[in-house]
Amino acid sequence: MIRLPGASRVRGALAGQVRALAWLPLLPWVAACSTLAPLDAALPPGAPRHVELVATPFFAQEDHQCGPAALATVLVSSGVPAAPEELAPESYLPGREGSLQVELLAAARRRGRLPYVLPPEPGALAAELAAGRPVLVLQNLGIDAYPRWHYAVLVGLDAGRDEAILRSGRRQREVMSWARFDDSWRRGGRWAVVVLRPGDFPANPEPLRFLEATAGLEAAGLLDEAAASYAAAVLRWPDEPLAYLGLGNNAYLRGDLAAAAGSYRRGVSLAPDDPALRNNLAQALLDGGCPRQAEAESRTAVALADGTPLEGDARETLAAVSAALQQTGGIDSRCDIAGGGNVPGQPLSSPDDREARTADR
Amino acid sequence: MLNEHLRRFLVAVMCISLLGAVMPMQARAAIVPTDRAISLQQRDAYIGTVTAGLAREDLRQRFVALGVDPAQVEARLAGLTDSELAALAERIDEVPAGGDVLAVIGIVFLVLLLLEFTGTIDIFKKVP
């Protein structure tokens, strides 16, 4: 079966050992395959068993540029005109011959869309497809030790045939066995993204995941789009303090100090021990010409932030408040924001209510 | 005489303009940004202002070194949150960069070559 022409017995033995070692790099891959479940077992009970978004557009990828092609696919599906050629200059990294995940997110933000990174579960993919949204996924088509990263767009699942359907590379309709897709997706870190209109939600939104995605819009300078998303978030999760932090920060960045202070206050009523909310409330009051009111909040913030990573921020705010108090002689002379602006969500709760909520959290 | 007056005037102008440059920075100390507050609660990790600034500066250089047009680097980094900047700066060489699906053929070739050298297979025999 295996000929070793002219080999001595020693060389033959050596070659035998090397031959055995040659299979080693494949072992992790083989081991990983054995843990995978069929699609039907991986999907939660309510998830659709068969869905394919046939109307999803297709952009054939140029050399190395699967990132821009996949991103254009999901952007156009969400209603934004986009083409891989225009996305490439802002998301392709020549030195890496590919696109970074965060740069695809940034490119989507710049086009007024909210990229939402899904929880790493097959059920999340199925739920988005059922809602009519194709999903941008990262695959590793190599092995862990020799990764070949690839972006594709998942447009369908079929639990009956145990298959995934993708727009991928130069194939408009690539059908992969679920096991093969799931394995490549797992080795890509189970990274999956949908792009949403600001103000819309994914199928099963998680509050912090959603707020983090919304903060990304602000990083790209899209304050109005972020405002729409935060406003939707406080209506959906009226008991989530961080939603009010986000809405307040957004108002602060847009220069609406009254609305900012009002939103922070709502957040403080839900989470009286949150140093970030107190600190930001103090900052908004200070900027709004109310250093006296700011002082009380700022001191509370410093006490709450003691020993946390926010300690420095809280002390800085207090120093600025103290300086302002010295300048004004301790009077809120031009304070006109204390009433607070209109905040969507619930009305302010009574003090008794607050106690109860705090105990809950 | 005139020179002395001019000098004093210039010094005064510079002092005032310096003061002007410092004052607004003091006035807007900072709110805690949303993405940092979330990362603190979600991952127990906080990205300070200094860390975020260093990460941005580091990535600026790395992006140019990786072939990005220097005129575009700033605009590209501007779309990232501080948490994303910090995470990227820490491991830009390791994070996935999705590229070419065709390159997969490369690994098949490597494995075949390895098997050929160890004598397991014999397919390159005809190639001198």
Side-chain angles (χ1 to χ4, degrees), chain A residues 11-336:
Chain A
R11 271 179 65 197
L14 187 66
Q17 280 176 359
V18 174
R19 210 161 44 235
L21 287 175
W23 295 101
L24 270 182
L26 298 177
L27 278 180
W29 186 76
V30 173
C33 283
S34 59
T35 61
L36 293 169
L39 176 57
D40 197 51
L43 291 178
R49 260 46 204 169
H50 183 196
V51 56
E52 181 174 357
L53 307 174
V54 289
T56 311
F58 171 62
F59 296 96
Q61 115 176 45
E62 302 292 315
D63 286 345
H64 304 309
Q65 310 219 331
C66 59
L71 181 60
T73 306
V74 291
L75 280 175
V76 171
S77 298
S78 82
V80 193
E85 305 85 69
E86 57 172 82
L87 292 166
E90 54 181 289
S91 61
Y92 179 69
L93 205 49
R96 293 286 312 270
E97 292 190 340
S99 301
L100 303 177
Q101 292 151 289
V102 285
E103 285 222 281
L104 294 182
L105 301 184
R109 289 166 188 157
R110 283 191 281 266
R111 277 157 186 76
R113 283 295 178 263
L114 180 85
Y116 179 85
V117 179
L118 296 170
E121 300 138 17
L125 302 179
E128 293 305 323
L129 290 175
R133 278 183 291 268
V135 185
L136 173 58
V137 291
L138 175 70
Q139 294 172 281
N140 178 359
L141 299 175
I143 55 170
D144 292 342
Y146 184 77
R148 303 310 304 172
W149 306 111
H150 179 63
Y151 294 107
V153 177
L154 184 71
V155 297
L157 292 173
D158 188 339
R161 304 173 63 140
D162 209 30
E163 282 171 352
I165 304 149
L166 303 118
R167 303 268 180 277
S168 177
R170 295 191 180 141
R171 294 192 186 176
Q172 175 151 16
R173 186 173 185 275
E174 177 165 57
V175 180
M176 284 178 103
S177 77
W178 171 255
R180 248 188 86 211
F181 168 78
D182 192 32
D183 191 40
S184 68
W185 185 48
R186 180 190 59 76
R187 277 178 284 119
R190 288 196 198 273
W191 192 77
V193 175
V194 286
V195 298
L196 304 162
R197 284 191 185 80
D200 283 357
F201 289 97
N204 301 304
E206 296 174 8
L208 294 196
R209 216 176 252 280
F210 185 81
L211 293 169
E212 195 169 36
T214 302
L217 283 179
E218 283 170 338
L222 297 164
L223 296 182
D224 293 339
E225 286 82 352
S229 191
Y230 284 126
V234 297
L235 287 174
R236 185 163 188 139
W237 300 294
D239 289 335
E240 175 53 59
L242 278 174
Y244 293 99
L245 182 82
L247 187 67
N249 283 352
N250 182 268
Y252 182 89
L253 292 173
R254 286 187 290 111
D256 189 346
L257 296 172
S263 186
Y264 294 142
R265 279 223 169 83
R266 196 64 55 81
V268 164
S269 75
L270 292 166
D273 296 337
D274 187 318
L277 277 162
R278 293 265 185 194
N279 174 75
N280 292 9
L281 174 56
Q283 185 68 47
L285 289 169
L286 171 65
D287 291 351
C290 318
R292 265 182 71 82
Q293 290 185 46
E295 191 191 15
E297 299 298 341
S298 189
R299 288 198 186 285
T300 313
V302 167
L304 291 170
D306 191 36
T308 76
L310 295 177
E311 200 175 342
D313 299 65
R315 287 190 190 285
E316 226 170 87
T317 307
L318 184 57
V321 169
S322 304
L325 278 175
Q326 279 187 346
Q327 269 180 10
T328 60
I331 315 161
D332 286 355
S333 53
R334 52 182 191 90
C335 176
D336 55 359

Side-chain angles (χ1 to χ4, degrees), chain B residues 7-50:
Chain B
R7 206 175 64 84
R8 282 190 184 185
F9 174 70
L10 282 176
V11 168
V13 166
M14 281 184 70
C15 283
I16 291 165
S17 60
L18 263 180
L19 204 67
V22 173
M23 288 282 277
M25 269 165 37
Q26 266 183 346
R28 29 169 299 141
I31 51 167
V32 175
T34 310
D35 67 309
R36 294 189 204 176
I38 293 170
S39 65
L40 187 59
Q41 200 158 107
Q42 226 172 16
R43 297 180 273 277
D44 209 23
Y46 185 70
I47 294 95
T49 312
V50 178

